[in-house]
Amino acid sequence: MTNRLTNRVTNRLLFSPHADDVVLSCFGALTPGATVVTVLAGVPEDPDVVTDWDRRLGAGSSRLLALQRLDEDAAAFAGTGVRLVAWPYLDGQYRTGPPDRAALLSDVRAQVAGADEVWLPAGIYAHPDHVLVRDAGLAACTEARRAGLDVDVRLYAEYPYQLYQMDDFHKAREDRGPYDWTNRGPRALAEWFRAEFPTARENGEEPAEVLLTREGAEAKDAAVRSHASQLGLLDEMVHGVLMEPENIGREYWWSATELTRSGGHR
């Protein structure tokens, strides 16, 4: 199902676990007046600490890289009319203990209260940070609906994690060549959604497919390239196809409003 998103939503709110997730995954939803919350935008205090992932990115200090990512995030949205909010929660690689789920839920609940439409990461490939944000968002939206607020909820397929899911799906069926990392065909995502959200039947498991216009794809390309610190390694992990126009010009999402009516996804 191909879907072009309406621009008539009064208050569209998108949650991005990390600085680049929304830009990579649902750029088509970034209309002027939308608000993006980068949830895990906290900066480690110790300038001498460098995590394995950050070291692979070429960083000598995780603190300095986290500060750089804040600047990259701001640059990606400059001039778009999108309001960017950065929260101080730490990325999972920087935490020394479990996340403060209660505090996060409280902040998400307050942010959701004024929204007409909320976009959350779907949690493809079970990245713990993405699942953390998704579940807090679903819980807050469930509470909002029970309180009488009419909020629509969307789950966006995270790029490039969806490429991993698609690759696994097609390798198991031997119907694609090795490393044919293309963002076409939602069957793999439908199968994942059916397993992850077995009670969701509102629109079936097939995701809506958004095809960006050429101008939209070019704008997305520029915004994604603002996150320069991450691109080299992300591209390497998907065998050099991260920025292929056909890949970044195609996005997927599901309606999750039914999940918030039923009180959860399990």
Side-chain angles (χ1 to χ4, degrees):
M1 157 170 70
T2 300
N3 185 287
R4 292 188 180 277
L5 295 166
T6 177
N7 294 336
R8 291 179 290 180
V9 175
T10 302
N11 189 348
R12 178 174 285 158
L13 171 64
L14 304 97
F15 285 96
S16 189
H18 308 102
D20 52 2
D21 289 312
V22 155
V23 166
L24 279 165
S25 307
C26 53
F27 190 84
L30 295 176
T31 52
T35 297
V36 172
V37 176
T38 303
V39 176
L40 304 173
V43 177
E45 293 185 2
D46 190 340
D48 296 323
V49 169
V50 55
T51 63
D52 290 341
W53 175 261
D54 290 350
R55 186 176 292 108
R56 291 177 67 189
L57 293 171
S61 164
S62 288
R63 176 176 172 80
L64 292 180
L65 181 59
L67 290 168
Q68 179 183 341
R69 294 200 71 184
L70 290 174
D71 291 339
E72 291 175 345
D73 209 16
F77 293 106
T80 64
V82 173
R83 174 174 174 255
L84 176 63
V85 179
W87 284 354
Y89 294 95
L90 289 175
D91 186 319
Q93 64 175 327
Y94 303 144
R95 294 193 296 266
T96 57
D100 190 339
R101 297 177 186 274
L104 176 60
L105 177 58
S106 178
D107 285 339
V108 172
R109 183 188 295 123
Q111 193 79 46
V112 162
D116 301 311
E117 186 180 280
V118 175
W119 289 66
L120 302 166
I124 292 176
Y125 241 66
H127 189 302
D129 286 344
H130 290 221
V131 173
L132 172 70
V133 173
R134 179 197 72 191
D135 289 352
L138 287 175
C141 290
T142 297
E143 292 178 7
R145 292 198 68 86
R146 287 175 174 169
L149 299 179
D150 186 16
V151 57
D152 288 329
V153 186
R154 307 282 183 265
L155 295 177
Y156 61 84
E158 300 103 306
Y159 186 76
Y161 296 104
Q162 67 207 51
L163 295 183
Y164 307 152
Q165 194 70 33
M166 290 175 176
D167 187 59
D168 286 352
F169 178 88
H170 291 291
K171 277 180 179 176
R173 286 153 183 77
E174 298 182 344
D175 59 359
R176 277 191 192 171
Y179 308 120
D180 182 14
W181 291 69
T182 180
N183 194 18
R184 290 193 312 271
R187 285 187 303 151
L189 299 182
E191 181 182 81
W192 172 84
F193 189 83
R194 184 165 51 250
E196 185 71 9
F197 302 98
T199 64
R201 292 294 181 268
E202 185 174 271
N203 296 317
E205 297 89 11
E206 183 113 344
E209 182 179 25
V210 176
L211 301 178
L212 300 180
T213 64
R214 183 170 69 176
E215 294 79 8
E218 289 173 352
K220 178 176 180 176
D221 182 277
V224 170
R225 291 185 190 279
S226 296
H227 294 280
S229 67
Q230 308 296 304
L231 292 190
L233 187 51
L234 288 178
D235 192 41
E236 178 184 324
M237 293 174 68
V238 294
H239 306 278
V241 302
L242 184 77
M243 301 303 292
E244 285 290 323
E246 185 176 356
N247 280 350
I248 67 168
R250 190 183 307 268
E251 301 175 343
Y252 299 96
W253 61 270
W254 296 267
S255 172
T257 304
E258 181 184 283
L259 294 174
T260 63
R261 291 193 187 108
S262 62
H265 72 279
R266 293 297 184 187

